[in-house]
Amino acid sequence: MAKINTKGETARSPRSPKKTSQASRPARRPAAAKTETPYHHGALREALLQAAERVLERDGLAGLTLRAVAREAGVSHAAPTHHFGDLTGLVSELAAIGFRQFNAAMASACDEATSPLERALARPKAYVAYAQAHPGMYGLMFRTERLDYSRPSLHEAAESSFAGLANAIGALRQEPISGDALTIEQGAAIARAWSMVHGFTMLLLDGRLEDILERLPAGTTAEQLLEAILKSTVAAKFPT
Amino acid sequence: MAKINTKGETARSPRSPKKTSQASRPARRPAAAKTETPYHHGALREALLQAAERVLERDGLAGLTLRAVAREAGVSHAAPTHHFGDLTGLVSELAAIGFRQFNAAMASACDEATSPLERALARPKAYVAYAQAHPGMYGLMFRTERLDYSRPSLHEAAESSFAGLANAIGALRQEPISGDALTIEQGAAIARAWSMVHGFTMLLLDGRLEDILERLPAGTTAEQLLEAILKSTVAAKFPT
DNA sequence: TATGGCATCTTTACGATGTAAAGATAAGGA
DNA sequence: TCCTTATCTTTACATCGTAAAGATGCCATA
């Protein structure tokens, strides 16, 4: 509400107010002098996505508007339209980036695991850790209704995330999971794991686990609660 | 710019355009003639909440705006402000109603269960069933960031929901759960159950379980998938 | 090298929203 | 009867998303 907007709608710093003829600007967009802000940005699309990520993590989902992103990038409010079509487009592309970060974080966590038990716990722990480190991004990926999964980049990134999960469950059950057909037991195992971790994450981010955490022995963290849940779930598979 | 606004922002049907003196209106707000729409509505607060629920289930979360609710109720767009303060206020009161419906649905489902196994499954099944029957309401309760839990009605209704869950887990573990202190095992059991069911519901409503469902034997429904998950979880406690 | 097409970015405009503030209207107590 | 107050309407404004028209300069082609 009330958004002061202290710097005016369009805020490209060193732009002469009118009649910017091509004099007084370095010729041919020199990659060195970024401070001159050439008329044609040159990499606006990427700059907008980075600006959007900053706005998202700073102001939350509600603050992620087309105009705010444009302000953050220092261009006019309508500039994003040309690159993303509409807000759904920008948000979807940003979510795709989020999914890729997310997948990379889980993959690297799995790689670092040594024991079988560790490997089983690494993925869900990395899942929750990513969401805690990037709550805005996670909200963008799983809370917004404004995502267009028909966009190839988003579809592919989300699909890859799902495939990683399915493979992890397959490894845990020691039966490779086919790409096109699942038994009811396999489907239940995958859905259960995903539901549990996703639900835990959402409840945690929404502060709804506070009721539980504050009744636990003093100083118990969300990570410890998660670990207790996970261990009680997979304990049977890894006899101590 | 005259504001075309096809149905007029304020749409109380039989309102004389100017100078509505008290003649031509039934004296003293007669409870019989609802069609006359007395100036002072008499029960606007409840009417607005009912209108809001209709708008929510018809147009979804994005369609639930203060002005849309006012239109639906046939009053001016600023009328809700007096009763709810702002959009957060209205949305929070509606969410409280949702939590009460939600709790009642689960309680009645538990009452109808006969066997111990049935009783263990009744609650989560009713949970998901409510969300499927009232996706707007469920989204309002668990997806919106615009809820004010400091409001007594919402706080109480949500708290009651949590208490019901904790009791159900206590019954399942055959150890009554204290109101103020939990062991890590108890906390993990509660958080696990809630996370699983909540996560399943969110993924289902978001269509993210489609990838799994369509790989399952043809015709498998979400309810069957949920049942498979639940049974594999509590199977140990209920030897067939 | 000159020039025209076209991608890129800005300006302007419009309807929608939330919210504040002032005006209108009835209800109820003095 | 009159006045205070709660309730509802009108008006106003900043913000948002989006469309459309104008400005700018890159690049291929002549």
Side-chain angles (χ1 to χ4, degrees):
Chain A
M1 176 184 85
K3 265 325 194 41
I4 310 296
N5 193 5
T6 50
K7 353 182 51 169
E9 185 80 10
T10 165
R12 305 187 66 170
S13 341
R15 194 74 176 295
S16 42
K18 282 296 174 195
K19 209 59 171 126
T20 303
S21 67
Q22 76 283 6
S24 86
R25 181 178 309 121
R28 284 184 152 275
R29 197 200 320 144
K34 261 294 195 287
T35 55
E36 282 294 337
T37 60
Y39 188 98
H40 283 104
H41 188 289
L44 221 207
R45 194 190 146 90
E46 280 64 33
L48 285 171
L49 287 171
Q50 291 172 14
E53 186 168 354
R54 286 196 301 275
V55 170
L56 175 61
E57 296 299 348
R58 169 159 38 83
D59 303 329
L61 260 182
L64 184 64
T65 69
L66 273 181
R67 292 170 110 107
V69 170
R71 277 195 299 270
E72 176 79 18
V75 294
S76 83
H77 71 259
T81 298
H82 185 262
H83 293 276
F84 301 101
D86 56 7
L87 181 59
T88 298
L90 187 145
V91 151
S92 299
E93 292 302 321
L94 186 57
I97 293 177
F99 270 107
R100 288 193 282 266
Q101 291 177 0
F102 184 50
N103 296 340
M106 286 190 289
S108 109
C110 287
D111 289 347
E112 291 170 6
T114 55
S115 73
L117 174 60
E118 226 179 285
R119 199 165 10 256
L121 300 187
R123 184 169 250 281
K125 284 169 73 172
Y127 189 115
V128 176
Y130 177 86
Q132 280 190 297
H134 308 272
M137 267 297 197
Y138 192 82
L140 189 71
M141 293 154 58
F142 286 105
R143 170 170 283 140
T144 312
E145 295 184 289
R146 201 151 182 161
L147 290 184
D148 179 7
Y149 280 92
S150 75
R151 291 193 165 237
S153 56
L154 178 55
H155 184 78
E156 184 182 343
E159 198 78 14
S160 161
S161 186
F162 175 74
L165 167 69
N167 285 337
I169 298 298
L172 203 62
R173 295 166 58 92
Q174 299 175 335
E175 63 180 8
I177 287 195
S178 152
D180 58 340
L182 296 173
T183 66
I184 186 79
E185 289 79 15
Q186 289 173 327
I190 296 174
R192 175 151 45 94
W194 195 9
S195 297
M196 228 250 356
V197 181
H198 176 56
F200 184 89
T201 304
M202 293 291 276
L203 293 175
L204 178 62
L205 291 186
D206 285 350
R208 283 187 155 92
L209 295 183
E210 288 305 315
D211 274 344
I212 296 178
L213 285 171
E214 67 196 12
R215 286 180 173 80
L216 257 32
T220 308
T221 67
E223 288 77 12
Q224 292 169 331
L225 180 60
L226 173 65
E227 194 138 344
I229 294 175
L230 293 173
K231 283 189 174 163
S232 74
T233 304
V234 302
K237 294 188 185 299
F238 300 97
T240 54
Chain B
M1 223 0 164
K3 220 51 176 343
I4 310 294
N5 194 4
T6 47
K7 344 183 57 168
E9 183 82 10
T10 164
R12 307 186 64 173
S13 339
R15 193 72 176 296
S16 41
K18 280 297 174 196
K19 207 56 171 129
T20 304
S21 67
Q22 76 281 7
S24 86
R25 182 176 309 120
R28 283 182 153 278
R29 196 202 320 142
K34 262 295 198 286
T35 56
E36 282 293 337
T37 61
Y39 188 98
H40 283 102
H41 187 290
L44 221 207
R45 193 190 148 91
E46 280 65 33
L48 285 171
L49 287 171
Q50 291 172 15
E53 186 169 354
R54 287 197 300 274
V55 171
L56 175 61
E57 297 300 346
R58 170 161 34 87
D59 303 328
L61 259 183
L64 184 64
T65 68
L66 272 180
R67 292 170 108 108
V69 170
R71 276 195 298 270
E72 176 80 17
V75 294
S76 83
H77 66 85
T81 298
H82 185 262
H83 292 277
F84 301 101
D86 56 8
L87 181 59
T88 298
L90 187 147
V91 151
S92 298
E93 293 301 320
L94 186 57
I97 294 177
F99 269 108
R100 288 193 282 266
Q101 291 177 0
F102 184 50
N103 295 339
M106 285 191 290
S108 108
C110 286
D111 288 347
E112 291 169 6
T114 56
S115 73
L117 174 60
E118 226 179 284
R119 202 168 1 259
L121 300 187
R123 182 168 253 277
K125 285 170 73 173
Y127 188 116
V128 176
Y130 177 86
Q132 280 191 296
H134 308 273
M137 267 295 198
Y138 193 82
L140 189 70
M141 293 153 58
F142 286 104
R143 170 170 284 139
T144 314
E145 296 185 289
R146 198 145 186 167
L147 289 184
D148 178 8
Y149 280 93
S150 73
R151 291 193 166 236
S153 56
L154 178 55
H155 184 76
E156 184 183 343
E159 197 77 13
S160 162
S161 185
F162 175 74
L165 167 69
N167 285 337
I169 298 299
L172 204 62
R173 293 167 60 91
Q174 298 175 334
E175 62 179 10
I177 286 194
S178 152
D180 56 340
L182 296 174
T183 68
I184 186 79
E185 289 80 14
Q186 290 174 326
I190 296 174
R192 176 151 43 93
W194 194 9
S195 297
M196 227 252 352
V197 180
H198 176 56
F200 184 89
T201 305
M202 293 291 276
L203 293 175
L204 178 62
L205 291 186
D206 284 351
R208 283 188 157 91
L209 295 182
E210 288 305 314
D211 273 345
I212 295 178
L213 285 171
E214 68 196 12
R215 286 180 172 80
L216 257 32
T220 308
T221 66
E223 287 77 12
Q224 292 170 328
L225 181 59
L226 174 65
E227 194 138 343
I229 294 174
L230 293 174
K231 282 188 175 163
S232 75
T233 303
V234 301
K237 293 189 186 297
F238 299 96
T240 56

